[in-house]
């Protein structure tokens, strides 16, 4: 079983915000899949299943994402090597992608929470959202909505995220169920 986690905040006011790029990526991936929704309150999030894949959008808000990830990981007995967390990264230009396993949280509160619940030796897909010029504008920036032009630029990035997730799947012999 593989667990793909998209980080974000719940609520209409956070839709299409930079901090919600993980949720946006999960939604894009699910567009191409047949999946079922798994409703268990202890998961503290929305969980979808397609083949041997689980897709999670924590509903704990960003700063407590680890509660949700830890609950799903423990319930399904998923190894950290079988977890990918998709999140925003201020230090990368808009649309840039970086892949890594393990490492620090870089001040990202969602990663900090996950690290405290499951450790930091999981896979990450970092999606660049850019950085505002003024440091005191960071919170407003990450919680600000993408412009239509930015979303258009991110469409290719999100396609690459999808490919990366499915390539990881093929290399580990898991299955997913495409819409047909």
């Amino acid at each position: 079983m593989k667990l793909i986690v998209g980080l974000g905040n719940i609520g209409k006011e956070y839709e299409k915000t930079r901090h919600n790029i993980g949720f946006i990526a999960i939604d894009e991936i699910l567009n191409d899949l047949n999946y079922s929704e798994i409703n268990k309150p202890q998961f503290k999030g929305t969980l979808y299943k397609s083949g041997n894949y689980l897709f999670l959008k924590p509903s704990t808000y960003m700063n407590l994402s680890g509660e949700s990830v830890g609950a799903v990981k423990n319930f399904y007995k998923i190894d950290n090597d079988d977890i990918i967390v998709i999140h925003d990264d201020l230090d990368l230009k808009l649309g840039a992608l970086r892949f890594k396993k393990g490492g620090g949280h870089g001040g990202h509160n969602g990663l900090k929470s996950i690290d405290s619940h499951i450790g930091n030796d999981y896979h990450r897909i970092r999606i660049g959202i850019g950085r505002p010029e003024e440091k005191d504008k960071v919170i407003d920036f990450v919680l600000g909505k993408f412009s239509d032009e930015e979303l258009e630029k991110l469409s290719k990035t999100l396609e690459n995220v999808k490919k990366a997730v499915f390539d990881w799947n093929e290399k580990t012999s898991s299955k997913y169920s495409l819409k047909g």
Side-chain angles (χ1 to χ4, degrees), residues 111-123:
L111 296 179
K112 199 181 297 185
S113 176
I114 293 169
D115 291 356
S116 73
H117 283 83
I118 70 166
N120 70 351
D121 59 337
Y122 51 88
H123 299 273

Side-chain angles (χ1 to χ4, degrees), residues 18-136:
R18 292 174 183 87
H19 218 24
N20 272 32
I21 193 66
F23 279 12
I24 294 168
I26 293 293
D27 291 341
E28 286 296 315
I29 293 168
L30 291 174
N31 279 338
D32 292 338
L33 300 177
N34 288 317
Y35 60 86
S36 56
E37 192 170 325
I38 301 170
N39 292 308
K40 290 193 181 290
Q42 70 263 34
F43 292 160
K44 298 182 180 183
T46 306
L47 186 66
Y48 308 92
K49 184 176 188 318
S50 179
N52 290 330
Y53 262 125
L54 295 171
F55 299 92
L56 176 64
K57 292 167 47 177
S59 61
T60 54
Y61 291 100
M62 185 69 75
N63 297 355
L64 301 174
S65 297
E67 293 177 8
S68 179
V69 175
V72 173
K73 171 193 167 41
N74 292 335
F75 184 87
Y76 287 99
K77 298 176 181 21
I78 299 170
D79 187 76
N80 280 6
D81 201 44
D82 292 326
I83 297 173
I84 295 178
V85 175
I86 304 169
H87 64 91
D88 60 301
D89 193 313
L90 279 165
D91 294 325
L92 298 176
K93 289 182 182 178
L94 179 70
L97 282 176
R98 296 291 182 274
F99 306 91
K100 70 184 266 187
K101 181 177 180 195
H105 54 71
H108 192 289
N109 289 326
L111 296 179
K112 199 181 297 185
S113 176
I114 293 169
D115 291 356
S116 73
H117 283 83
I118 70 166
N120 70 351
D121 59 337
Y122 51 88
H123 299 273
R124 301 152 194 223
I125 298 178
R126 301 164 44 207
I127 301 176
I129 60 168
R131 178 182 287 281
E133 290 182 22
E134 300 172 41
K135 278 189 173 185
D136 64 338

Side-chain angles (χ1 to χ4, degrees), residues 166-179:
F166 293 146
D167 284 349
W168 180 56
N169 177 53
E170 288 174 14
K171 289 177 185 167
T172 56
S173 301
S174 294
K175 300 285 183 209
Y176 57 92
S177 177
L178 288 173
K179 281 186 179 174

